Amino acid sequence: MLNAIIKPLLLKENITWDDFSYPPVLAWLLLVILGVLVGLDPSMSAQMPLPLWLAAAFGVVLMLVGYPVMTLFMRWWMGRKGCDGQGRMFRLIMAVSAIGVPASLLVVFGIPVLFTLPLWLYSIWVAAHAFEQVCEVSIGYAIGGILLSMVPTIVVSMVVGAVFAGVAGVLGLLPMPEMPIQ
């Protein structure tokens, strides 16, 4: 998997689907790691005060729902140009998302998200470059697909977040808001 992460990260040429033949369990493990880091993001807990374990679980749930949605969209988007992904689309997306680990770690340690923005923008460029290589599409088409894939991913994440907050509230895992006494 390390080769699948480093080769696109360095914007190497001749990236093929064979580079993403690593075991799928490693992709899922990376997804869980990213989910825990997202859950530990201080700005996440500022919006919804959760116990640490519940925040990490929330981040994992968001990732477990969001990335498959993104993968389905990209499979459809690239399929329009004749690229079927050969069953490795999710692994490609996870490999190029590995740059999110250091960016997420910086945020967890208190670095403002704005300072990690160049890493996130670079991760989009890395992903677009990888799709350009393996699917033989233009870089603009790849970037367009990546940006458009974020729309259904964000919508689904919002729905999951609302359901998660509702369930956590019903189970008493969230503190009740203070009501003004009149």
Side-chain angles (χ1 to χ4, degrees):
M1 179 177 184
L2 210 50
N3 186 42
I5 293 171
I6 291 173
K7 200 171 179 181
L9 188 64
L10 298 176
L11 301 175
K12 298 276 186 178
E13 298 298 320
N14 300 323
I15 298 172
T16 66
W17 284 116
D18 292 334
D19 294 325
F20 304 101
S21 296
Y22 59 89
V25 70
L26 294 177
W28 289 101
L29 179 64
L30 180 60
L31 183 77
V32 169
I33 291 169
L34 278 171
V36 169
L37 291 173
V38 164
L40 296 178
D41 178 359
S43 65
M44 179 84 81
S45 59
Q47 296 173 12
M48 188 169 40
L50 296 173
L52 200 55
W53 67 270
L54 191 58
F58 178 61
V60 170
V61 168
L62 281 179
M63 295 294 114
L64 287 174
V65 172
Y67 270 92
V69 169
M70 184 179 288
T71 302
L72 287 173
F73 184 89
M74 288 305 290
R75 184 173 293 148
W76 169 77
W77 185 259
M78 293 299 167
R80 295 175 54 204
K81 294 289 187 177
C83 180
D84 66 355
Q86 301 174 5
R88 299 184 201 132
M89 185 77 69
F90 178 70
R91 288 179 267 181
L92 182 152
I93 290 172
M94 289 312 303
V96 297
S97 296
I99 196 170
V101 172
S104 296
L105 275 172
L106 290 172
V107 171
V108 167
F109 289 126
I111 303 296
V113 175
L114 187 59
F115 290 117
T116 64
L117 185 61
L119 282 174
W120 294 111
L121 293 175
Y122 184 67
S123 73
I124 292 172
W125 185 260
V126 167
H129 178 73
F131 278 116
E132 177 190 33
Q133 294 289 310
V134 297
C135 292
E136 298 174 359
V137 297
S138 71
I139 195 88
Y141 187 81
I143 289 174
I146 293 164
L147 294 177
L148 286 173
S149 73
M150 292 178 186
V151 173
T153 304
I154 290 170
V155 169
V156 168
S157 296
M158 290 172 58
V159 170
V160 168
V163 169
F164 192 88
V167 170
V170 168
L171 295 176
L173 299 172
L174 291 177
M176 295 299 292
E178 293 185 26
M179 302 289 275
I181 300 175
Q182 299 200 19

